[in-house]
Amino acid sequence: MKNEQHVIITLFGATGDLAHRKLFPALFRLFKEHIIDEHFAVIGTARRSWSDEYFREKIKEACLEESEDSEDINRFTSHFYYLSHDVTNTAHYVALNNLANSLEEKYSTHGNRLYYMAMAPQFFGLIATHLNEENLLNVSGYKRLLIEKPLGRDLESAIQLDKEIKNAFKEEQIFRIDHYLGKDMIKFLPKLKSLPLLKENWSYKGISKIEVTMAESLGIEHRAGYYEGTGALRDMIQNHALQIIASILSPNNRPESGSQQTLRSISLSELFIPNTDQIKQNFIRGQYGEGDGQLPYLSEEGVGNESRTETYVAGKFESQSPTWKGVPIYFRTGKRMKTKSARVDILFKKPLIILKGLKPINVLSIIIDPNPHITGRLLDKENSRWSVDWRTLTNGEKQIEAYQRLIEEALNGEKADFVTIENLKQTWRLIDPIESYWESEEPINLPTYNSGSMGPELANKIIKDDSGWLFKK
Ligand code: NAD
């Protein structure tokens, strides 16, 4: 039985999409597992003037799929309070503090505060400063901060953002979310990598290439305001793909082996930062055009008809670690692709039997999303294929949704699945040269790809061996 948490959670951006789709259902699941139960309160804030009752109705709507037991959900939502709050208005923080203090007594939350900034990062520094100046951080328990992407748009702005947040929170109090790090399959990786034959072959000695694919079938879905000027490289590679790559490369058996967090940072710091020639050769972007009866990117609402924003990117990183010398790490991500899938495909130098009773394979595919599982096959021999589902793989472990897992870890003060400032800086060091080269590229190389395809033809050329992408779909 896990310990019940005593805490007040303050959620900035409580009327937003992230709160509705992910955070309320995640909190409800934690409630059903009694991780939050009697001694918690959630203060939701945003600009709209909602009543507590209306807020609670919205939360019920968000959690509909999670429970049919209305008593359960009513008990859950009774812990939620709403405060209309403009984050730029000092007086509102005084009201917030008064409400938090009264709830602290009502629910005996032991002075513990978790702040979740589920809104645009341009406000993070301002909120942190106000929380500090209006005395909301002077508490008897812990104070922690949860934030997530986009954390900057380059190294310089990421450092600036961090400086502003550090006016109020110390590094150990900051929990930077990359929700991929909370996904079942990424959590399972250390165990997978420690299967005896995989462990032995998990290096340049056994592996000839690694591919990370993060394909989305949807377009930008009316989010041009965010997407324009961000693009696929910043939206998916700087954070999610690089964290996946770091998790794959981080060894289980380093002598200095620290936490998964430290190991990921080391792996990222060992990736070569690409120079201009390598960027020209190894990185390719694209923009979705017509296809599948969908609008091309340039006709999406809010997108200028000369937009250079990429909706697809593919590229190659390489590690300078002796463990990974010469192993290409390919990645690609795109919107409006043929399928929705987040996966890692690994080609081994020779066939292996990775689990007793299974046929030998030289391609291992780790499917992160949707439906975590692994598959194996011999290259170009479809009849050698097998698949192992999550239950079998884990001896019946329960699947846990990423936000639920990460919020619980933050409540416990466990930091292993969060992004450190060093890790964040390292990702921008890898991304910045590519972005700056692309900004100045003339003539621009931004091919269009058909909606419903696997990206521009040119992206196949960056893979130098005969097999092409292992995941062809
Ligand atoms: P959103 O636009 O749907 O919601 C933003 C929230 O901020 C709203 O509640 C709005 O009322 C509030 N807000 C805006 N200006 C305010 C002000 N001056 N004072 C008080 N409140 C104000 O955004 P979202 O999609 O929920 O995303 C929130 C954050 O999470 C962003 O940083 C986003 O990049 C990140 N994120 C979102 C998702 C997702 O699936 N939606 C996924 C990953 C990361």
Side-chain angles (χ1 to χ4, degrees):
M1 182 79 180
K2 292 180 181 173
N3 280 345
E4 187 208 337
Q5 299 284 341
H6 292 235
V7 65
I8 293 179
I9 301 172
T10 304
L11 181 57
F12 295 95
T15 61
D17 176 69
L18 181 70
H20 189 82
R21 279 192 316 111
K22 297 288 185 189
L23 307 184
F24 299 143
L27 287 169
F28 186 47
R29 287 190 294 270
L30 291 175
F31 178 75
K32 283 196 294 185
E33 296 192 4
H34 307 289
I35 288 157
I36 46 174
D37 194 332
E38 302 273 325
H39 300 98
F40 82 101
V42 178
I43 305 175
T45 82
R47 272 180 308 189
R48 294 181 204 176
S49 53
W50 285 2
S51 63
D52 288 346
E53 287 68 33
Y54 187 73
F55 185 42
R56 289 170 189 173
E57 280 308 310
K58 287 283 171 196
I59 292 156
K60 259 188 222 174
E61 271 173 39
C63 300
L64 265 187
E65 279 176 21
E66 305 291 331
S67 174
E68 280 159 13
D69 179 345
S70 61
E71 210 175 292
D72 212 21
I73 197 137
N74 285 339
R75 201 164 72 79
F76 172 65
T77 58
S78 72
H79 289 256
F80 283 70
Y81 297 81
Y82 184 84
L83 200 66
S84 170
H85 173 106
D86 185 334
V87 294
T88 59
N89 185 327
T90 309
H92 287 179
Y93 290 86
V94 178
L96 186 57
N97 203 13
N98 291 340
L99 178 59
N101 288 336
S102 71
L103 294 176
E104 188 157 306
E105 215 162 284
K106 178 165 178 181
Y107 293 103
S108 73
T109 54
H110 296 179
N112 295 327
R113 304 273 174 96
L114 185 75
Y115 293 95
Y116 199 129
M117 295 186 189
M119 51 190 298
Q122 76 203 66
F123 296 115
F124 291 176
L126 181 80
I127 302 173
T129 306
H130 278 304
L131 289 177
N132 196 24
E133 286 176 358
E134 305 316 317
N135 220 15
L136 276 91
L137 300 178
N138 190 7
V139 291
S140 56
Y142 66 68
K143 46 182 182 276
R144 294 180 189 145
L145 175 68
L146 274 164
I147 47 174
E148 71 177 285
K149 78 167 187 182
L151 297 174
R153 54 175 287 109
D154 53 21
L155 178 61
E156 195 185 334
S157 56
I159 292 174
Q160 179 56 32
L161 177 64
D162 188 62
K163 221 164 119 188
E164 289 168 17
I165 294 169
K166 294 261 171 72
N167 284 331
F169 293 92
K170 296 188 185 122
E171 179 66 18
E172 63 267 26
Q173 297 165 332
I174 303 171
F175 291 71
R176 296 178 195 84
I177 288 189
D178 187 308
H179 71 281
Y180 272 82
L181 291 177
K183 287 191 182 267
D184 291 324
M185 212 51 187
I186 299 295
K187 284 290 289 177
F188 184 68
L189 271 181
K191 273 194 197 150
L192 184 71
K193 291 193 289 186
S194 63
L195 291 174
L197 259 183
L198 284 185
K199 190 172 176 180
E200 222 172 88
N201 285 283
W202 208 261
S203 71
Y204 79 96
K205 290 183 188 151
I207 290 179
S208 42
K209 68 168 173 172
I210 298 170
E211 295 176 10
V212 174
T213 299
M214 307 189 77
E216 297 178 285
S217 49
L218 293 176
I220 56 163
E221 302 296 295
H222 310 290
R223 295 184 70 221
Y226 161 70
Y227 203 78
E228 267 292 277
T230 299
L233 187 66
R234 287 193 180 96
D235 187 43
M236 295 297 285
I237 305 302
Q238 176 269 326
N239 33 60
H240 311 314
L242 279 172
Q243 297 306 333
I244 294 172
I245 291 172
S247 308
I248 291 282
L249 298 186
S250 64
N252 289 343
N253 53 356
R254 281 245 169 131
E256 72 271 31
S257 75
S259 67
Q260 291 300 323
Q261 203 181 32
T262 317
L263 292 176
R264 281 194 307 274
S265 276
I266 295 173
S267 298
L268 285 174
S269 68
E270 287 172 342
L271 293 177
F272 283 108
I273 294 175
N275 63 30
T276 306
D277 284 341
Q278 289 162 338
I279 295 168
K280 282 186 203 166
Q281 256 177 36
N282 296 332
F283 293 83
I284 174 86
R285 54 187 161 155
Q287 214 175 49
Y288 61 80
E290 286 169 335
D292 272 359
Q294 305 280 2
L295 285 180
Y297 182 68
L298 292 181
S299 304
E300 296 275 18
E301 186 191 332
V303 175
N305 54 14
E306 292 194 354
S307 168
R308 293 167 67 126
T309 301
E310 81 284 357
T311 62
Y312 175 97
V313 55
K316 178 175 107 169
F317 287 117
E318 226 171 290
S319 172
Q320 48 194 308
S321 141
T323 313
W324 292 110
K325 62 182 173 199
V327 180
I329 304 142
Y330 297 104
F331 68 81
R332 65 187 154 162
T333 186
K335 295 206 175 280
R336 281 272 158 74
M337 289 174 76
K338 193 170 177 179
T339 187
K340 175 178 161 49
S341 180
R343 57 187 287 145
V344 183
D345 295 277
I346 296 170
L347 180 63
F348 288 90
K349 292 185 171 163
K350 57 175 201 279
L352 310 170
I353 296 176
I354 71 158
L355 285 170
K356 245 197 241 153
L358 293 176
K359 289 182 201 161
I361 51 117
N362 60 0
V363 178
L364 174 69
S365 302
I366 302 168
I367 319 303
I368 302 165
D369 242 354
N371 180 22
H373 63 285
I374 59 170
T375 67
R377 68 187 156 104
L378 277 178
L379 196 60
D380 298 329
K381 291 202 178 116
E382 280 307 308
N383 61 5
S384 65
R385 185 184 283 270
W386 49 250
S387 174
V388 182
D389 67 15
W390 175 259
R391 270 195 155 269
T392 315
L393 198 58
T394 61
N395 289 326
E397 253 177 51
K398 219 171 87 180
Q399 284 181 237
I400 302 176
E401 188 273 334
Y403 280 92
Q404 176 189 342
R405 172 178 276 130
L406 293 175
I407 294 173
E408 182 180 352
E409 289 178 354
L411 288 169
N412 282 328
E414 292 165 11
K415 294 210 70 180
D417 295 328
F418 293 86
V419 176
T420 60
I421 185 62
E422 260 328 297
N423 174 317
L424 179 69
K425 285 184 189 168
Q426 201 51 42
T427 60
W428 283 119
R429 281 186 200 114
L430 291 157
I431 296 302
D432 280 359
I434 310 168
E435 289 289 358
S436 15
Y437 173 73
W438 282 352
E439 240 161 66
S440 61
E441 190 184 42
E442 288 301 342
I444 183 172
N445 186 12
L446 182 66
T448 303
Y449 59 97
N450 286 341
S451 280
S453 74
M454 280 307 274
E457 195 49 40
L458 216 55
N460 300 332
K461 299 223 164 77
I462 60 172
I463 298 202
K464 301 285 184 314
D465 60 34
D466 298 338
S467 55
W469 293 100
L470 294 167
F471 174 55
K472 296 185 171 44
K473 184 71 196 174

